[in-house]
């Protein structure tokens, strides 16, 4: 009876589970499954249903725990997909891959999940093959989603592996397909085409979402956020940083739920800010530290974010943080250039140039494949060290800038794969010329010419280098060496008149007879005459202007010649103006040209009684001695007044200095007072 009752109860519970599953009420279905398991804890079907209910409710960890605790009942053949899916959603990607590969039977569901796992592991070639197989061997309503995933794989290959994508022949009928196609074009550098694809994707997205009445404008904008973010990225690549920054900030204001999108946008804003607006960058860097970001982005995206964090730490003078981040990056990617370059830049900011160069040298020795770029940086640091090194830090052996530039040249010449490049030759010759080391500069030319002579003798660069070497040697007085280079050029192209002219010019300085012999090879003037339309040349704008100007000058000269024959007229002197009160009957004052103070009849200013009584001393002082200081009131004063300020009177019979040569001592002081009075009344004075 008890067994029959239990079976009846279980049947009722299974009916409830089936009904809830069809309605999508997995929480209620889970309760019924738990009751069934109370009746029979090892019921395989009930355990499977419980795992499915937990997955549908998002409880992946609990579902995986049930699978692992019932391994005897729930074998890999029975529940391989559910286990792999739980591991995938818990970001245990390697474990999910092992679970899928260990399954005895590869169902369509496992193949779909296998493609997703390969994409997360960034194994794009295998992923592409998996999706192609799925599309070829399956026919259901999910074909559009598979094509979208396939286009996403192609876009990732183009972006991260720089693989030229093949034409898959996919019809871009959805905005997802258009978006992925735009990403592939960005990877190829076709930015304008990518922008058009994104605009099309935006239109398709609006059309598809606006058909649903339940979707609001905010929902549409949230869905468009990733498309707008890619548009802003294209603007940034095109140099339209202001437009890109504006669009980035608009997306951040929408507060999208995709932490990966926010992290990428924040990182791109930090790259726009660089060493400016560091406070804004510090705020944005918090968005890159959000939970779950590491599972949403690719390895290269995460690496770029970490690089920018280290650079931001350097710009904000957080030296320890910068060293810590760059050291962590270097341990993750020992062969990568950027971590060691950031460390070297930080050392240079601390004025430890020698230590920075040593760090770069160690990296170049350990990683010869990247030695060229590192050595270029080392040379740049050496030059900067020589230019900016203070005079008190220059050692006697280094000889300042000269030693640093010479060391930079030695570093550049050690890069074997770049020694023959025209840019490297030009840089080395310029630096050696600056150091006045002409022999080393000529040696650089010689080595480059020998390389081209051995590997690319017919290259136009070879001939160009020989010509430049000859010009350089002529400029620095190495005429015989230059002649050998020019002869080599002329042998290779005997019809080159320019080279022949240079050769004759060089020989004229060394061997004039040889120059005369070579000049016979020059073409005659008749053969060198150019077919020029003289009339058209004379009627051209420049010739017309010169002719008009010449005509003007000729006219001026003619006028001058005519004017030389005429007698020059004498200029009439203007009569001087007389004063208004001028009386011709009265003889003028002979002392009128002298200042008033120096005239014989000057007696000083008349002072009022009140002014005489005012004293300039302390309060209560008297002015009894003021009249005694006035020399004009003394009886023994001569007819001509003495210099103001003199204490003794001068007798009439003494040798009196003429008034014109006798400047009063008090005159400058009086002028100063007058100037001060004027300044007080003036406007705009200092």
């Amino acid at each position: 009876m008890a067994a029959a009752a239990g079976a009846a109860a279980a049947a009722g519970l299974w009916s409830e589970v089936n009904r809830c599953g069809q309605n999508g009420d997995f929480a209620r279905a889970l309760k019924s499954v738990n009751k069934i398991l109370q009746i029979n804890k090892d019921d395989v079907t009930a355990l499977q249903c419980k795992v499915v209910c937990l997955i549908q409710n998002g409880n992946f960890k609990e579902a995986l725990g049930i699978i692992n605790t019932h391994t005897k009942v729930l074998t890999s053949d029975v529940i391989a997909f559910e286990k792999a899916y739980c591991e995938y959603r818990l970001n245990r990607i390697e474990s999910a891959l092992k679970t899928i590969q260990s399954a005895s039977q590869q169902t369509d569901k496992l193949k779909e999940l296998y493609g997703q796992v390969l994409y997360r592991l960034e194994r794009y070639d295998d992923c592409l093959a998996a999706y192609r197989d799925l599309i070829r061997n399956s026919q259901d309503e999910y074909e559009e989603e598979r094509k979208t995933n396939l286009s996403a794989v192609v876009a990732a290959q183009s972006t991260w592996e720089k693989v030229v994508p093949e034409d898959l022949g996919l019809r871009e009928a959805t905005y997802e397909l258009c978006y992925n196609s735009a990403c592939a074009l960005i990877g190829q550098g076709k930015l304008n085409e990518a922008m058009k694809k994104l605009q099309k994707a935006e239109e398709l997205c609006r059309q598809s979402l606006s058909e649903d009445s339940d979707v609001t404008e905010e929902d549409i904008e949230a869905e468009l956020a990733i498309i707008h973010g890619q548009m802003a990225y294209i603007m940034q690549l095109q140099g339209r940083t202001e437009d890109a920054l504006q669009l980035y900030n608009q997306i951040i204001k929408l507060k999208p739920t995709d932490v990966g999108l926010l992290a990428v946008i924040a990182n791109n804003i930090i790259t726009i800010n660089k060493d400016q607006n560091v406070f804004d960058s510090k705020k944005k860097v918090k968005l890159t530290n959000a939970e779950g970001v590491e599972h949403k982005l690719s390895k290269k995206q995460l690496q770029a974010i970490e690089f920018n964090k280290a650079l931001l730490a350097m710009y904000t003078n957080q030296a320890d943080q910068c060293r810590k981040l760059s050291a962590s990056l270097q341990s993750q990617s020992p062969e990568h250039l950027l971590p060691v370059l950031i460390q070297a830049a930080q050392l240079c900011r601390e004025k430890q140039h020698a230590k920075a160069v040593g760090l770069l040298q160690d990296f170049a020795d350990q990683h010869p494949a990247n030695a060229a770029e590192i050595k270029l940086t080392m040379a740049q640091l050496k030059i900067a060290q020589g230019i900016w090194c203070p005079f008190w830090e220059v050692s006697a052996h280094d000889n300042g800038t000269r030693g640093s530039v010479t060391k930079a040249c030695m570093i550049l010449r050690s890069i074997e794969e770049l020694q023959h490049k025209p840019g490297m030759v030009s840089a080395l010759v310029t630096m050696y010329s600056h150091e006045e080391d002409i022999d080393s500069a000529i040696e650089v030319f010689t080595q480059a010419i020998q390389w081209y002579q051995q590997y690319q003798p017919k290259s136009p660069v070879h001939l160009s280098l020989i010509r430049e070497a000859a010009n350089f040697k002529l400029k620095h007085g190495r005429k015989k060496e230059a002649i050998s280079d020019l002869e080599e050029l002329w042998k290779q192209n005997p019809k080159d008149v320019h080279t022949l002219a240079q050769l004759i010019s060089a020989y004229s300085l060394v061997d004039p007879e040889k120059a005369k012999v070579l000049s016979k090879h020059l073409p005659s003037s008749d053969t060198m005459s150019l077919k020029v339309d003289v009339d058209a040349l004379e009627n051209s704008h420049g010739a017309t202007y010169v002719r008009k100007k010449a005509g003007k000058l000729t006219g001026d000269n003619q006028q001058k010649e005519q004017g030389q024959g005429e007698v020059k007229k004498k200029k009439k002197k203007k009569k001087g103006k007389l004063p208004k009160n001028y009386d011709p009957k009265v003889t003028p004052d002979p002392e009128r040209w002298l200042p008033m103070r120096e005239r014989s009849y000057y007696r000083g200013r008349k002072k009022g009684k009140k002014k005489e009584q005012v004293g300039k001393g302390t309060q209560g002082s008297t002015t009894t001695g003021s009249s005694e200081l006035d020399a004009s009131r003394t009886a023994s004063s001569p007819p001509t007044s003495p210099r103001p300020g003199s204490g003794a009177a001068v007798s009439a019979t003494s040798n009196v200095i003429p008034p014109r040569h006798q400047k009063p001592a008090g005159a400058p002081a009086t002028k100063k007072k007058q100037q001060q009075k004027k300044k007080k009344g003036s406007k705009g004075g200092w």
Side-chain angles (χ1 to χ4, degrees), residues 99 102 106 169 179 213 231 246 291 349 351 364 416 424 448 454 479 483 485 489 537 547 587 616 625 630 633 667:
T99 302
S102 64
Q106 294 294 320
Y179 173 81
S213 58
M231 285 180 173
Q246 185 178 0
E291 186 179 355
R349 287 175 73 91
K351 297 183 180 180
E416 294 181 1
M424 179 63 77
Q454 183 177 357
K479 300 177 184 65
I483 285 169
D485 291 336
L489 277 175
L537 187 62
R547 190 162 58 248
T587 55
K616 294 184 179 179
D630 191 356
R633 297 188 181 184

Side-chain angles (χ1 to χ4, degrees), residues 265-537:
I265 289 172
N267 175 74
N268 292 352
I269 291 174
I270 291 169
T271 59
I272 291 174
N273 289 338
K274 293 183 181 178
D275 56 344
Q276 305 296 320
N277 203 3
V278 290
F279 294 107
D280 179 63
S281 296
K282 279 187 173 182
K283 291 179 183 177
K284 295 296 185 293
V285 81
K286 293 177 182 177
L287 296 174
T288 64
N289 297 327
E291 186 179 355
V293 168
E294 65 275 11
H295 306 306
K296 291 284 185 178
L297 303 179
S298 66
K299 291 177 182 177
K300 289 193 176 180
Q301 285 175 312
L302 293 170
Q303 195 178 55
I305 289 172
E306 292 301 313
F307 286 144
N308 288 327
K309 285 180 183 177
L311 287 172
L312 182 61
M314 183 182 72
Y315 289 143
T316 53
N317 298 319
Q318 295 176 300
D320 294 336
Q321 180 72 3
C322 178
R323 277 190 284 269
K324 182 180 177 182
L325 288 169
S326 57
S328 174
L329 285 166
Q330 192 172 9
S331 63
Q332 293 171 16
S333 304
E335 75 287 347
H336 209 290
L337 287 172
L338 280 178
V340 71
L341 290 176
I342 292 171
Q343 291 178 27
Q346 180 60 45
L347 288 170
C348 289
R349 287 175 73 91
E350 297 170 3
K351 297 183 180 180
Q352 299 182 37
H353 291 85
K355 197 172 181 180
V357 172
L359 179 68
L360 293 172
Q361 183 64 58
D362 294 341
F363 184 86
D365 295 339
Q366 294 171 8
H367 304 88
N370 297 324
E373 295 180 39
I374 289 295
K375 286 182 178 179
L376 288 171
T377 308
M378 289 167 61
Q380 183 180 357
L381 289 179
K382 276 292 178 186
I383 294 168
Q385 183 182 2
I387 292 171
W388 298 109
C389 183
F391 67 88
W392 57 84
E393 292 182 6
V394 178
S395 63
H397 303 287
D398 194 28
N399 197 16
T401 308
R402 184 180 297 273
S404 297
V405 174
T406 304
K407 288 177 182 177
C409 291
M410 291 172 63
I411 293 169
L412 291 175
R413 293 182 71 176
S414 67
I415 309 173
E416 294 181 1
E417 61 267 35
L418 298 178
Q419 278 185 358
H420 61 279
K421 298 289 184 181
M424 179 63 77
V425 173
S426 176
L428 285 169
V429 168
T430 303
M431 292 163 71
Y432 276 129
S433 300
H434 182 268
E435 297 297 293
E436 299 179 1
D437 190 354
I438 308 305
D439 292 330
S440 297
I442 292 173
E443 187 181 351
V444 170
F445 270 124
T446 305
Q447 289 177 352
I449 290 168
Q450 287 174 353
W451 187 93
Y452 278 100
Q453 195 168 1
Q454 183 177 357
Y455 297 104
Q456 298 178 16
K458 295 183 179 180
S459 171
V461 179
H462 181 211
L463 301 177
S464 176
L465 280 173
I466 295 173
R467 188 179 300 279
E468 291 298 326
N471 293 334
F472 182 82
K473 291 169 185 176
L474 283 172
K475 183 180 177 182
H476 292 88
R478 308 292 179 91
K479 300 177 184 65
K480 292 183 180 179
E481 297 176 31
I483 285 169
S484 63
D485 291 336
L486 291 170
E487 284 180 341
E488 178 66 25
L489 277 175
W490 191 45
K491 284 179 184 177
Q492 295 191 18
N493 187 8
K495 295 181 181 180
D496 189 355
V497 181
H498 178 64
T499 303
L500 179 58
Q502 277 189 307
L503 187 58
I504 293 168
S505 176
Y507 265 120
S508 66
L509 301 172
V510 179
D511 189 354
E513 294 299 325
K514 182 70 173 176
K516 286 180 182 179
V517 173
L518 287 173
S519 63
K520 294 178 182 179
H521 294 281
L522 287 171
S524 63
S525 58
D526 297 333
T527 57
M528 293 181 67
S529 61
L530 301 173
K531 295 180 180 179
V532 179
D533 188 351
V534 178
D535 295 332
L537 187 62

Side-chain angles (χ1 to χ4, degrees), residues 584-596:
K585 297 178 181 179
V586 180
T587 55
D589 185 5
E591 296 182 1
R592 64 184 180 278
W593 308 113
L594 297 176
M596 183 62 72

Side-chain angles (χ1 to χ4, degrees), residues 541-565:
H541 175 71
T544 307
Y545 173 75
V546 172
R547 190 162 58 248
K548 283 182 179 178
K549 192 173 182 183
K552 277 187 177 181
L553 291 171
T554 307
D556 293 342
N557 292 335
Q558 287 176 358
Q559 288 177 6
K560 285 183 179 179
E561 287 175 3
Q562 290 175 3
Q564 284 177 0

